[in-house]
Amino acid sequence: MDAAKEEFLRVFGRDYGYSGAPKTIDEIRATEFKRLEGVAYLDHAAATLYSELQMEAILKDLTANIYGNPHSQSDSSFATSDIVRNARQQVLDYFKASPKDYKCIFTSGATAALKLVGEAFPWSHQSSFVYTMENHNSVIGIREYALEQGAQAYAVDIEDTERDAFTGNIVSVQVTKHQMLRRNEAKFLAKNHTGSAYNLFAFPSECNFSGLKFSLELVKTVKEDSIRYSDGSPSSNGHWKVLIDAAKGCATEPPDLSKYPADFVVFSFYKLFGYPTGLGALIVHTDAAKLLKKTYFSGGTVAASIADIDFVKQREGIEELFEDGTIPFLSIASLCHGFKILNSLTIPAISRHTSSLATYLRNVLAALRHENGTRVCTLYGSCSSKTLCNKMGPLVSFNLRRPDGSWVGHREVEKLASLYSIQLRTGCFCNPGACAKYLDLSHLDLVTNIEAGHICWDDNDIINGKPSGAVRVSLGYMSTYEDVKKFIDFVTSSFVSTPTHSRDLQFCGRSIPFTDTGFESRYSAFGVDLKSITVYPIKSCAGFSTDRWPLSSRGLLYDREWLLQSLTGETLTQKKVPEMCLIHTYIDLSQGILFINSPRCKEGLQIILNSNSSNGKREEISLRGQIYQVQGYDKEVDTWFSAAIGRPCTLLRHLSSSHCVSLDERDSVGTCRESRTCLNFSNEAQFLLISEESVSDLNNRLNSTDVGKDVRRTSVQVNPMRFRPNLVISGGRPYAEDEWINIKIGNKFFRSLGGCNRCQMINFSTDAEQVLKTNEPLATLASYRRVKGKILFGILLRYECEAEEGNSNNSWLRVGESITPDSKQLRDTHRIHTDMAACQVGKSSR
């Protein structure tokens, strides 16, 4: 045992590891989560993991018993009804809810339970829907139902509490009211409202953004109308009902309804024990259930109905009334096996175990410093006894900073973590109020971000110098010290600048220090030439190499002129369909034919380049914000590609490319200069250039010894084609291309557009017609080629056809052509030597 773990156990040993349970945490991981070997799964707030023994028990149960539809009257149906009845009781027991006071309504998840409350709640124009800023979108969405019925809705921040000096009980809670929302007010003011108004207050038991736990004393405070507004505005009239979103908090501290009698509690079972998904519950107080207004009726919810007249008699049971159709009874039958796992460990022990890991992680991250003394980590969420939020759940939310104070993008952290087999989540976690609050995003910031194109789950993680989301690490009952330590080591090695590692961490623009001795002499001989040319006719499919190839205004002729699209309109790439790399292509210019082959298809496919072999249907598609005119092919072609990749798809061709170039009998190409900045279906640029010397250096690193661990990193070797380059060059020093501004290949000019940001596609390789994926070479590149969130390798080029020397109608690239680079360093070196030469001339003349 290393010293770090010994220290951890010295501080947290009483809470960590389930010492009094049937199995310790190490035994649980070894016997029930063997699939986690080498993986740190730290996304339990999104979905915790099911135990392998749990699934074995479920399979044994379902294969040994017959469970019929509970709406039937057979023996198997009665068996199902018993199972469902027992499952409801287990749920109520978990929340310490009396079956006399509460009912368990099964839903498809917590969101469906919230939607049910929103639809059926007795809203009126006198009602209020009040919710804390820290709430999931699924809770905030209830306001649409409230506003449509003329009710008002607003968010609040809990600021302070007043307690009785003798009893310690809460007397009142002070909150800050955000903007009040109202819709259709005039429509409902004219209507006479009879009876009392009902208001709904919603809060989470634990914030899924920060991990902050809300005190359940809020239930009593709200019901007693003890909320006080900081602006002095009066409280809403009527009766208050309270909803607790327990989706995040219920796995480690389910609300105790015997002490805190909320009216509604929602949660999902996969948050508790991983399986089943698509099943949740609404726990509703019987008094609150009587207020809910159900409009729709369905099979299972009615006692009787007549088809051709307006007559229906609904069932009286609360569960039966709100569970439309046949409930997912096989999923419900599996619940007892999940609860068995939790009960064997006990919820208090799970809470202590996960809390010990979260506290340890929080402490370590807070203490991290760069070599210049600046903090590495900004943590979100803090406890305060005054605000009824005085505990932290097993969740750590944060962002990282560089030594200069700039933010590290959360997507950068997530992408790098995946290379280390660390699974976590980044973004706003569907909690816009908490996200804006903790990241200090104003309404103007949010609107500006949206107008700039930012949406949930995109890669825009830093906008105008501010983070648009955060990194979240969340723990589950099977999480271990080793999981947390792996994450800490990852953050330390990848993001903490130290005197010995600051250069490798790539906080500067230059990748690797190389001596410039002899630099001018090496390039004066122009020892760099074009080694290979590769064309990729179909986006994300395999290409072919050639000794020479014509250029067009869009790059290499026919390069990425075709793409595959799913039937839903999604552009298919190797990121989602790795099998696309098994589709091989070749173009014979003399025959004017594109040849296509796949190991999954017995016969190859031929497409005539200049013939209208398509189905004649033209359409427009959007790709990366650009509109393309495309043309499809007949059913035979689409069927061939569907078989090749194992899913339905269509082949589309970009029409404009073939219209912008024409190949004549003299092997000359005429270009459409007006569209010289256009692309086919390439992601960023017309060309990707890779250096053999840079690849050689990468291979040396892939086989080098990890100094910190004294072990060989990997035995992986990659060739330049792993990076899907159009051009491979030979000669010069590694990474010299990083500094090139322009280059000339033969008599053709190209402009560098900067480095190519690499993704996990370069981790795909093929072996015996099988697609394999590893963490390399991207993980090694990330250790030394990372600049401001990008892992750069190779450079992107644009063909400057108007600057071409000589005959512009002979635009071909040829293997072996010399390459003349133009870089800032070369210019500076040339200027220095020119000045030195002038100085020598001056001396001799004197």
Side-chain angles (χ1 to χ4, degrees), residues 14-19 21 94 96 213 249-254 256 341-356 391 394 477:
R14 294 182 61 183
D15 296 326
Y16 175 80
Y18 311 114
S19 59
Y94 188 73
K96 297 182 180 179
K213 290 186 176 182
C250 66
T252 55
E253 192 175 349
D256 184 342
I341 297 287
L342 301 186
N343 292 337
S344 68
L345 299 174
T346 76
I347 293 302
I350 292 173
S351 180
R352 292 192 301 270
H353 172 78
T354 54
S355 179
S356 69
K391 291 182 181 179
Y477 77 80

mmCIF file of all heavy atoms in Angstrom, residues 14-19 21 94 96 213 249-254 256 341-356 391 394 477:
data_model
loop_
_atom_site.group_PDB
_atom_site.id
_atom_site.type_symbol
_atom_site.label_atom_id
_atom_site.label_comp_id
_atom_site.label_asym_id
_atom_site.label_seq_id
_atom_site.Cartn_x
_atom_site.Cartn_y
_atom_site.Cartn_z
ATOM 1 N N ARG A 14 -12.561 5.032 8.752
ATOM 2 C CA ARG A 14 -13.778 4.611 9.461
ATOM 3 C C ARG A 14 -15.003 4.653 8.556
ATOM 4 O O ARG A 14 -15.976 3.929 8.781
ATOM 5 C CB ARG A 14 -14.006 5.499 10.680
ATOM 6 C CG ARG A 14 -12.944 5.356 11.763
ATOM 7 C CD ARG A 14 -13.252 6.232 12.962
ATOM 8 N NE ARG A 14 -14.535 5.865 13.574
ATOM 9 C CZ ARG A 14 -15.073 6.503 14.608
ATOM 10 N NH1 ARG A 14 -14.440 7.554 15.136
ATOM 11 N NH2 ARG A 14 -16.217 6.112 15.117
ATOM 12 N N ASP A 15 -14.977 5.508 7.535
ATOM 13 C CA ASP A 15 -16.124 5.661 6.642
ATOM 14 C C ASP A 15 -15.972 4.917 5.320
ATOM 15 O O ASP A 15 -16.970 4.597 4.668
ATOM 16 C CB ASP A 15 -16.354 7.150 6.348
ATOM 17 C CG ASP A 15 -16.718 7.937 7.593
ATOM 18 O OD1 ASP A 15 -17.395 7.369 8.471
ATOM 19 O OD2 ASP A 15 -16.319 9.111 7.691
ATOM 20 N N TYR A 16 -14.760 4.650 4.923
ATOM 21 C CA TYR A 16 -14.496 4.089 3.601
ATOM 22 C C TYR A 16 -14.524 2.557 3.638
ATOM 23 O O TYR A 16 -13.960 1.938 4.534
ATOM 24 C CB TYR A 16 -13.129 4.561 3.108
ATOM 25 C CG TYR A 16 -12.690 3.954 1.797
ATOM 26 C CD1 TYR A 16 -13.179 4.436 0.591
ATOM 27 C CD2 TYR A 16 -11.794 2.890 1.770
ATOM 28 C CE1 TYR A 16 -12.781 3.879 -0.611
ATOM 29 C CE2 TYR A 16 -11.384 2.326 0.573
ATOM 30 C CZ TYR A 16 -11.888 2.823 -0.619
ATOM 31 O OH TYR A 16 -11.492 2.274 -1.811
ATOM 32 N N GLY A 17 -15.197 1.970 2.664
ATOM 33 C CA GLY A 17 -14.979 0.562 2.381
ATOM 34 C C GLY A 17 -15.928 -0.461 2.933
ATOM 35 O O GLY A 17 -15.699 -1.651 2.751
ATOM 36 N N TYR A 18 -16.987 -0.121 3.648
ATOM 37 C CA TYR A 18 -17.986 -1.086 4.110
ATOM 38 C C TYR A 18 -17.379 -2.193 4.973
ATOM 39 O O TYR A 18 -17.581 -3.395 4.729
ATOM 40 C CB TYR A 18 -18.729 -1.730 2.919
ATOM 41 C CG TYR A 18 -19.244 -0.754 1.911
ATOM 42 C CD1 TYR A 18 -18.736 -0.721 0.613
ATOM 43 C CD2 TYR A 18 -20.231 0.164 2.242
ATOM 44 C CE1 TYR A 18 -19.202 0.170 -0.323
ATOM 45 C CE2 TYR A 18 -20.721 1.072 1.309
ATOM 46 C CZ TYR A 18 -20.193 1.069 0.026
ATOM 47 O OH TYR A 18 -20.662 1.957 -0.900
ATOM 48 N N SER A 19 -16.639 -1.813 5.990
ATOM 49 C CA SER A 19 -15.967 -2.814 6.827
ATOM 50 C C SER A 19 -16.938 -3.744 7.536
ATOM 51 O O SER A 19 -16.624 -4.894 7.823
ATOM 52 C CB SER A 19 -15.074 -2.110 7.857
ATOM 53 O OG SER A 19 -15.849 -1.234 8.671
ATOM 54 N N ALA A 21 -19.946 -4.701 6.327
ATOM 55 C CA ALA A 21 -20.867 -5.312 5.375
ATOM 56 C C ALA A 21 -20.381 -6.712 4.982
ATOM 57 O O ALA A 21 -19.247 -7.095 5.291
ATOM 58 C CB ALA A 21 -20.993 -4.427 4.141
ATOM 59 N N TYR A 94 -38.124 2.497 1.325
ATOM 60 C CA TYR A 94 -36.841 3.163 1.066
ATOM 61 C C TYR A 94 -36.903 4.631 1.475
ATOM 62 O O TYR A 94 -35.910 5.203 1.952
ATOM 63 C CB TYR A 94 -36.500 3.031 -0.421
ATOM 64 C CG TYR A 94 -35.115 3.519 -0.790
ATOM 65 C CD1 TYR A 94 -33.985 2.788 -0.445
ATOM 66 C CD2 TYR A 94 -34.947 4.699 -1.505
ATOM 67 C CE1 TYR A 94 -32.717 3.225 -0.794
ATOM 68 C CE2 TYR A 94 -33.685 5.154 -1.854
ATOM 69 C CZ TYR A 94 -32.572 4.406 -1.492
ATOM 70 O OH TYR A 94 -31.315 4.851 -1.827
ATOM 71 N N LYS A 96 -39.107 5.720 3.729
ATOM 72 C CA LYS A 96 -39.761 5.744 5.041
ATOM 73 C C LYS A 96 -41.125 6.429 4.966
ATOM 74 O O LYS A 96 -41.469 7.297 5.779
ATOM 75 C CB LYS A 96 -38.868 6.425 6.078
ATOM 76 C CG LYS A 96 -37.553 5.683 6.306
ATOM 77 C CD LYS A 96 -36.698 6.346 7.364
ATOM 78 C CE LYS A 96 -35.388 5.574 7.555
ATOM 79 N NZ LYS A 96 -34.503 6.194 8.563
ATOM 80 N N LYS A 213 -26.498 19.943 -0.858
ATOM 81 C CA LYS A 213 -27.732 19.326 -0.381
ATOM 82 C C LYS A 213 -28.618 20.368 0.282
ATOM 83 O O LYS A 213 -28.162 21.117 1.149
ATOM 84 C CB LYS A 213 -27.426 18.208 0.610
ATOM 85 C CG LYS A 213 -26.788 16.978 -0.009
ATOM 86 C CD LYS A 213 -26.653 15.861 1.013
ATOM 87 C CE LYS A 213 -26.109 14.595 0.380
ATOM 88 N NZ LYS A 213 -26.029 13.492 1.360
ATOM 89 N N GLY A 249 -30.116 12.931 -5.254
ATOM 90 C CA GLY A 249 -29.793 12.668 -3.852
ATOM 91 C C GLY A 249 -30.232 11.334 -3.311
ATOM 92 O O GLY A 249 -29.715 10.873 -2.287
ATOM 93 N N CYS A 250 -31.180 10.652 -3.993
ATOM 94 C CA CYS A 250 -31.782 9.470 -3.382
ATOM 95 C C CYS A 250 -30.839 8.280 -3.302
ATOM 96 O O CYS A 250 -31.069 7.351 -2.528
ATOM 97 C CB CYS A 250 -33.048 9.074 -4.129
ATOM 98 S SG CYS A 250 -32.760 8.509 -5.817
ATOM 99 N N ALA A 251 -29.750 8.266 -4.062
ATOM 100 C CA ALA A 251 -28.844 7.125 -4.041
ATOM 101 C C ALA A 251 -28.030 7.049 -2.754
ATOM 102 O O ALA A 251 -27.582 5.964 -2.368
ATOM 103 C CB ALA A 251 -27.905 7.180 -5.240
ATOM 104 N N THR A 252 -27.846 8.170 -2.092
ATOM 105 C CA THR A 252 -27.042 8.177 -0.868
ATOM 106 C C THR A 252 -27.790 8.730 0.337
ATOM 107 O O THR A 252 -27.396 8.472 1.473
ATOM 108 C CB THR A 252 -25.761 9.010 -1.068
ATOM 109 O OG1 THR A 252 -26.116 10.334 -1.504
ATOM 110 C CG2 THR A 252 -24.852 8.368 -2.099
ATOM 111 N N GLU A 253 -28.858 9.486 0.117
ATOM 112 C CA GLU A 253 -29.635 10.027 1.232
ATOM 113 C C GLU A 253 -31.061 10.305 0.772
ATOM 114 O O GLU A 253 -31.432 11.442 0.499
ATOM 115 C CB GLU A 253 -29.000 11.309 1.779
ATOM 116 C CG GLU A 253 -29.596 11.747 3.100
ATOM 117 C CD GLU A 253 -28.878 12.946 3.703
ATOM 118 O OE1 GLU A 253 -27.786 13.309 3.205
ATOM 119 O OE2 GLU A 253 -29.408 13.518 4.658
ATOM 120 N N PRO A 254 -31.890 9.243 0.686
ATOM 121 C CA PRO A 254 -33.270 9.447 0.253
ATOM 122 C C PRO A 254 -34.037 10.278 1.273
ATOM 123 O O PRO A 254 -33.826 10.135 2.485
ATOM 124 C CB PRO A 254 -33.823 8.020 0.162
ATOM 125 C CG PRO A 254 -32.953 7.213 1.068
ATOM 126 C CD PRO A 254 -31.597 7.837 0.990
ATOM 127 N N ASP A 256 -36.467 11.396 3.992
ATOM 128 C CA ASP A 256 -37.221 10.672 5.016
ATOM 129 C C ASP A 256 -38.609 11.309 5.113
ATOM 130 O O ASP A 256 -38.792 12.339 5.762
ATOM 131 C CB ASP A 256 -36.486 10.753 6.349
ATOM 132 C CG ASP A 256 -37.156 9.928 7.446
ATOM 133 O OD1 ASP A 256 -38.347 9.583 7.287
ATOM 134 O OD2 ASP A 256 -36.502 9.657 8.477
ATOM 135 N N ILE A 341 -29.084 -5.257 -3.086
ATOM 136 C CA ILE A 341 -27.699 -4.763 -3.060
ATOM 137 C C ILE A 341 -27.566 -3.612 -2.071
ATOM 138 O O ILE A 341 -26.671 -3.597 -1.216
ATOM 139 C CB ILE A 341 -27.269 -4.296 -4.466
ATOM 140 C CG1 ILE A 341 -27.285 -5.457 -5.459
ATOM 141 C CG2 ILE A 341 -25.888 -3.637 -4.404
ATOM 142 C CD1 ILE A 341 -26.186 -6.442 -5.307
ATOM 143 N N LEU A 342 -28.468 -2.626 -2.179
ATOM 144 C CA LEU A 342 -28.385 -1.452 -1.303
ATOM 145 C C LEU A 342 -28.611 -1.825 0.148
ATOM 146 O O LEU A 342 -27.924 -1.325 1.051
ATOM 147 C CB LEU A 342 -29.417 -0.404 -1.745
ATOM 148 C CG LEU A 342 -29.303 0.134 -3.179
ATOM 149 C CD1 LEU A 342 -30.306 1.270 -3.389
ATOM 150 C CD2 LEU A 342 -27.896 0.617 -3.484
ATOM 151 N N ASN A 343 -29.558 -2.710 0.392
ATOM 152 C CA ASN A 343 -29.859 -3.090 1.770
ATOM 153 C C ASN A 343 -28.717 -3.855 2.414
ATOM 154 O O ASN A 343 -28.507 -3.767 3.636
ATOM 155 C CB ASN A 343 -31.143 -3.919 1.817
ATOM 156 C CG ASN A 343 -32.371 -3.111 1.452
ATOM 157 O OD1 ASN A 343 -32.376 -1.890 1.565
ATOM 158 N ND2 ASN A 343 -33.417 -3.780 0.975
ATOM 159 N N SER A 344 -27.970 -4.603 1.617
ATOM 160 C CA SER A 344 -26.849 -5.358 2.177
ATOM 161 C C SER A 344 -25.727 -4.437 2.634
ATOM 162 O O SER A 344 -24.980 -4.760 3.565
ATOM 163 C CB SER A 344 -26.319 -6.362 1.147
ATOM 164 O OG SER A 344 -25.695 -5.695 0.058
ATOM 165 N N LEU A 345 -25.621 -3.291 1.987
ATOM 166 C CA LEU A 345 -24.583 -2.327 2.357
ATOM 167 C C LEU A 345 -25.101 -1.310 3.369
ATOM 168 O O LEU A 345 -24.322 -0.788 4.176
ATOM 169 C CB LEU A 345 -24.081 -1.598 1.110
ATOM 170 C CG LEU A 345 -23.438 -2.471 0.024
ATOM 171 C CD1 LEU A 345 -23.131 -1.637 -1.215
ATOM 172 C CD2 LEU A 345 -22.168 -3.138 0.538
ATOM 173 N N THR A 346 -26.368 -0.998 3.299
ATOM 174 C CA THR A 346 -27.095 0.032 4.058
ATOM 175 C C THR A 346 -26.808 1.423 3.506
ATOM 176 O O THR A 346 -25.671 1.732 3.124
ATOM 177 C CB THR A 346 -26.798 0.019 5.570
ATOM 178 O OG1 THR A 346 -25.518 0.590 5.828
ATOM 179 C CG2 THR A 346 -26.920 -1.380 6.153
ATOM 180 N N ILE A 347 -27.848 2.231 3.462
ATOM 181 C CA ILE A 347 -27.739 3.581 2.914
ATOM 182 C C ILE A 347 -26.791 4.452 3.741
ATOM 183 O O ILE A 347 -25.968 5.189 3.169
ATOM 184 C CB ILE A 347 -29.127 4.231 2.786
ATOM 185 C CG1 ILE A 347 -29.938 3.496 1.718
ATOM 186 C CG2 ILE A 347 -29.001 5.706 2.402
ATOM 187 C CD1 ILE A 347 -29.290 3.474 0.341
ATOM 188 N N PRO A 348 -26.828 4.411 5.072
ATOM 189 C CA PRO A 348 -25.862 5.223 5.834
ATOM 190 C C PRO A 348 -24.420 4.888 5.491
ATOM 191 O O PRO A 348 -23.574 5.779 5.380
ATOM 192 C CB PRO A 348 -26.201 4.891 7.288
ATOM 193 C CG PRO A 348 -27.641 4.509 7.262
ATOM 194 C CD PRO A 348 -27.816 3.781 5.973
ATOM 195 N N ALA A 349 -24.126 3.592 5.303
ATOM 196 C CA ALA A 349 -22.750 3.195 4.966
ATOM 197 C C ALA A 349 -22.374 3.672 3.571
ATOM 198 O O ALA A 349 -21.240 4.110 3.326
ATOM 199 C CB ALA A 349 -22.603 1.681 5.071
ATOM 200 N N ILE A 350 -23.322 3.585 2.633
ATOM 201 C CA ILE A 350 -23.066 4.089 1.279
ATOM 202 C C ILE A 350 -22.799 5.579 1.324
ATOM 203 O O ILE A 350 -21.884 6.092 0.653
ATOM 204 C CB ILE A 350 -24.256 3.764 0.360
ATOM 205 C CG1 ILE A 350 -24.360 2.260 0.111
ATOM 206 C CG2 ILE A 350 -24.130 4.506 -0.974
ATOM 207 C CD1 ILE A 350 -25.600 1.843 -0.656
ATOM 208 N N SER A 351 -23.577 6.300 2.108
ATOM 209 C CA SER A 351 -23.402 7.747 2.217
ATOM 210 C C SER A 351 -22.030 8.096 2.786
ATOM 211 O O SER A 351 -21.341 8.985 2.279
ATOM 212 C CB SER A 351 -24.512 8.327 3.103
ATOM 213 O OG SER A 351 -24.371 9.725 3.217
ATOM 214 N N ARG A 352 -21.614 7.374 3.832
ATOM 215 C CA ARG A 352 -20.298 7.652 4.425
ATOM 216 C C ARG A 352 -19.167 7.309 3.461
ATOM 217 O O ARG A 352 -18.184 8.048 3.337
ATOM 218 C CB ARG A 352 -20.137 6.860 5.728
ATOM 219 C CG ARG A 352 -21.044 7.305 6.865
ATOM 220 C CD ARG A 352 -20.613 6.680 8.176
ATOM 221 N NE ARG A 352 -20.632 5.220 8.129
ATOM 222 C CZ ARG A 352 -21.679 4.468 8.451
ATOM 223 N NH1 ARG A 352 -22.823 5.046 8.824
ATOM 224 N NH2 ARG A 352 -21.605 3.144 8.392
ATOM 225 N N HIS A 353 -19.321 6.197 2.773
ATOM 226 C CA HIS A 353 -18.281 5.751 1.835
ATOM 227 C C HIS A 353 -18.091 6.764 0.708
ATOM 228 O O HIS A 353 -16.961 7.207 0.439
ATOM 229 C CB HIS A 353 -18.668 4.390 1.262
ATOM 230 C CG HIS A 353 -17.789 3.918 0.154
ATOM 231 N ND1 HIS A 353 -16.540 3.375 0.363
ATOM 232 C CD2 HIS A 353 -17.983 3.920 -1.199
ATOM 233 C CE1 HIS A 353 -16.000 3.057 -0.810
ATOM 234 N NE2 HIS A 353 -16.851 3.382 -1.766
ATOM 235 N N THR A 354 -19.186 7.132 0.054
ATOM 236 C CA THR A 354 -19.076 8.057 -1.080
ATOM 237 C C THR A 354 -18.654 9.452 -0.611
ATOM 238 O O THR A 354 -17.917 10.149 -1.313
ATOM 239 C CB THR A 354 -20.409 8.133 -1.836
ATOM 240 O OG1 THR A 354 -21.463 8.457 -0.921
ATOM 241 C CG2 THR A 354 -20.724 6.797 -2.504
ATOM 242 N N SER A 355 -19.120 9.854 0.560
ATOM 243 C CA SER A 355 -18.752 11.170 1.080
ATOM 244 C C SER A 355 -17.260 11.250 1.384
ATOM 245 O O SER A 355 -16.627 12.284 1.155
ATOM 246 C CB SER A 355 -19.565 11.478 2.340
ATOM 247 O OG SER A 355 -19.214 12.733 2.872
ATOM 248 N N SER A 356 -16.688 10.157 1.887
ATOM 249 C CA SER A 356 -15.244 10.165 2.185
ATOM 250 C C SER A 356 -14.428 10.385 0.918
ATOM 251 O O SER A 356 -13.448 11.140 0.915
ATOM 252 C CB SER A 356 -14.842 8.851 2.859
ATOM 253 O OG SER A 356 -14.921 7.752 1.961
ATOM 254 N N LYS A 391 -24.769 20.636 3.642
ATOM 255 C CA LYS A 391 -24.055 19.389 3.400
ATOM 256 C C LYS A 391 -23.692 19.312 1.928
ATOM 257 O O LYS A 391 -24.333 19.927 1.086
ATOM 258 C CB LYS A 391 -24.911 18.180 3.780
ATOM 259 C CG LYS A 391 -25.177 18.005 5.271
ATOM 260 C CD LYS A 391 -25.993 16.745 5.500
ATOM 261 C CE LYS A 391 -26.296 16.532 6.970
ATOM 262 N NZ LYS A 391 -27.125 15.308 7.186
ATOM 263 N N PRO A 394 -21.930 13.372 -2.752
ATOM 264 C CA PRO A 394 -20.736 12.748 -3.346
ATOM 265 C C PRO A 394 -20.508 13.195 -4.785
ATOM 266 O O PRO A 394 -20.494 12.390 -5.719
ATOM 267 C CB PRO A 394 -21.047 11.258 -3.252
ATOM 268 C CG PRO A 394 -22.538 11.193 -3.346
ATOM 269 C CD PRO A 394 -23.047 12.417 -2.652
ATOM 270 N N TYR A 477 -21.752 3.842 -5.044
ATOM 271 C CA TYR A 477 -21.451 2.934 -3.928
ATOM 272 C C TYR A 477 -20.290 2.007 -4.227
ATOM 273 O O TYR A 477 -19.634 1.506 -3.311
ATOM 274 C CB TYR A 477 -22.705 2.135 -3.535
ATOM 275 C CG TYR A 477 -23.083 0.980 -4.432
ATOM 276 C CD1 TYR A 477 -22.445 -0.261 -4.340
ATOM 277 C CD2 TYR A 477 -24.113 1.107 -5.361
ATOM 278 C CE1 TYR A 477 -22.805 -1.323 -5.150
ATOM 279 C CE2 TYR A 477 -24.484 0.055 -6.171
ATOM 280 C CZ TYR A 477 -23.828 -1.166 -6.065
ATOM 281 O OH TYR A 477 -24.191 -2.223 -6.865
#
